[in-house]
Amino acid sequence: MDIAGSRVLVAGATGVLGGALTAELVGRGARPVLAGRDLGRLAAAASALQDAPTVVFDAYDPSSCARAVHAGAARLGGLDAVVTAFGSVAFGTAEEVGDDIAEHLMAVNALAPIAFFRAALDVLEPGSAIAALTGVVAQRPQPGMADYSASKAALSAWLRAVRGEARGRGVQVLDVRPGHIDTGLADRPLVGTAPPLPAGADPRQVVAAVADALSTGAELVRTTENGAAVVERRDR
Ligand SMILES: NC(=O)c1ccc[n+]([C@@H]2O[C@H](COP(=O)([O-])OP(=O)(O)OC[C@H]3O[C@@H](n4cnc5c(N)ncnc54)[C@H](OP(=O)(O)O)[C@@H]3O)[C@@H](O)[C@H]2O)c1
């Protein structure tokens, strides 16, 4: 995908990674539409980006995710990429986390991004892309984060299967699976307390790698043990 001039919807643009990724893409010439749940935070994010258009969704309402895609496409006269950068985390043993939080995590971290992409696949043309922030836990589920890991693994599995469907249509499917990044997400869990975490990757490096991956048609962004962001052409 050619980022310069591309029309990109970033869902979760009010978050640290979503905001940094939007700024990175704009810096490379993209035209963004910002999607988020809070009008005030969306307005603040938009004002830092030449009053970029905004659309509202709540991850707990899949129909609002689909509506956000269609509204975003209407605002920009079409879309070339849809990126999801929102999510919630919870810490604790399986018993401590419980069914209600597990349901919340699966809805916000898996079903909502899937709803965005299902709608996106309906409107995207060949040469476009979908991309999701999943996380290394999708591949290496962690004790004390079972339900968070399971929600990310569910989204990652969906992306992998859909990649096979989308390839024939010329739509890139990018899975962004970094390890810990210094964004403060771990300090904002739904429940529990984060275990000791390794030094986090630099958000700016990760979003630059995501932009590189979008522009080269890559399938995976991951981070190494020392936090370096790596673009992999194929997600094997
Ligand atoms: N930070 C890490 O270490 C790390 C590592 C791997 C993957 N990730 C993933 O990267 C993504 C972004 O995380 P971040 O570190 O940038 O955290 P963040 O700054 O806390 O951003 C979280 C975003 O999710 C949005 N959000 C949460 N619940 C929502 C809901 N019900 N409806 C709509 N939006 C909702 C927040 O919206 P508000 O602004 O309205 O609160 C915010 O925009 C997440 O999916 C996370 O799992 C993070």
Side-chain angles (χ1 to χ4, degrees), residues 1 15 19 24 26 56 75 82 84 108-109 120 131 137 139 152 154 158 160 176 181 183 185 206 211 229 233:
M1 182 182 115
E24 177 73 28
V26 168
V56 180
R75 297 295 297 274
V82 172
T84 59
V108 170
N109 293 345
V137 294
Q139 202 172 357
K152 294 296 192 176
W158 190 89
R160 185 172 287 214
V176 183
I181 308 168
T183 66
L185 175 71
V206 175
R233 181 152 185 75

Side-chain angles (χ1 to χ4, degrees), residues 108-137:
V108 170
N109 293 345
L111 296 176
I114 287 170
F116 267 97
F117 298 138
R118 210 186 298 282
L121 288 166
D122 220 26
V123 301
L124 291 177
E125 303 284 339
S128 55
I130 60 174
L133 260 299
T134 62
V136 70
V137 294

